[in-house]
Amino acid sequence: MADGCACDRHAHMYLSVDQAQNRGLAVSDPLTDTETLPLIQAIGRVLAEDCVSKVDMPAFDNSAMDGYAVRTQDLSDGPLFDLPVAGRIAAGDSGAHSAPAGSALRIFTGAPVPDDFDAVLMQEDCETTETGIRFTRRPKPGQHIRRVGEDLKAGAPILRRGCVITAREAAALASAGYGAVKVVRKLKVTIFSTGSELKQPGEELGPGQIYNSNRYMLLALLDKPWIELTDKGPVEDNPVLLEQVLREACETSDLIITTGGVSVGDEDHMPRLFAEIGGQTDVMKVAMKPGKPIMFGRREGALYIGLPGNPVSAYVTWQIIGSQMMARRAGLHRTPQMPEQAVLAEPLQRRAGRQEYRPVQIEGVSVEGAPRLRLMAPSYSGRVALLAQADGLAIIPAEIEAMPEGQGLHFLRF
Ligand code: AMP
Ligand code: MG
């Protein structure tokens, strides 16, 4: 990159972010092994079958209100209606109730409405009398009755494969009668951080040493019920050691994620080592800031993603490229985060050439209701503390060199 030039001269030789995402997805084939688990154990896992309801929802006509069930054909012309109350049905009772013509039934929310009753009156609209109830407004046939199958008919689709079974999916599966479901087996992920300079937080730092932040970042990012994680900790920049750990990880994992050692320095061993153990690699320079380079590759059943060492670069490349690859490999639908519309709270000046993901803070809201973004430092790829203070990433398209205050742009909220 030449100083004084407003653009990155080499950027045209790099892949665009879209191209890099597509290449990554192309090597991330979904797991096909499944297991059938009781619903209670399937929570948090990836659904592996399209599900249809096993029952009508609701399964029977039932009352939507606490009140009184009536037969509208029994009613007089009004204006006052008086009916005796001939019985009582609560939720959980059977709907097989007989009542003489011209009488009402006390009924509660969720209770079955007997076949020949066709309306429910809210108790707030009825006055109780010595002999029963009195009301003034003629009920409409069908009012306050939830009809069998009105929510969903048996056989109707409820969920597509590839979703994570979180609260809403778990509730839908339970109400559709699924005692057990087929899920994708857990994704076996191995992580390690490369770098001879890395120390564990809590230890004393010696000269030239830094704390290993990427390890904890990845542990947090990968803390998911559908992942079986193996953490190999830090590994020093020693090719013999690195090769041993990498080879072992390839034999036992569906996905290996490392940080550092993928650049062009003498201590950046990962691309060569991965090729030496028989992996097919794709080291890419991506026209992305922060982030280049990222590497990924395949060796038999193992997908390898090598993230940059700089913590902010590692985080951003993970969010934009790596996490999508992992999601696909784990059998999830592809649901990339949709950027929001935001506006700049200050002008921007920068070097064009790469699509940039700039850490920003939300300063307030514009008149149109969009978040107003304050830019954080322009040079930030190693500044992990700054990332923790940011509210998200502003997306600055590759060709942009300057933007005035108030300009609209896309924003990915954390
Ligand atoms: P590398 O990609 O290995 O050349 O590393 C780039 C920069 O990121 C160097 O300044 C490293 O010291 C730093 N770095 C690498 N790995 C980590 C890590 N796990 N935690 C914090 N910083 C790291
Ligand atoms: Mg390194």
Side-chain angles (χ1 to χ4, degrees), residues 381-396:
S381 64
R383 296 178 61 179
V384 70
L386 176 145
L387 192 60
Q389 290 150 14
D391 296 312
L393 301 169
I395 306 176
I396 305 161

Side-chain angles (χ1 to χ4, degrees), residues 193-194 197-198 210-215 259-261 268 308-311:
S193 350
T194 74
E197 71 278 34
L198 302 176
I210 59 166
Y211 288 126
N212 181 352
S213 50
N214 292 340
R215 178 185 184 198
T259 58
D268 295 324
N310 275 315

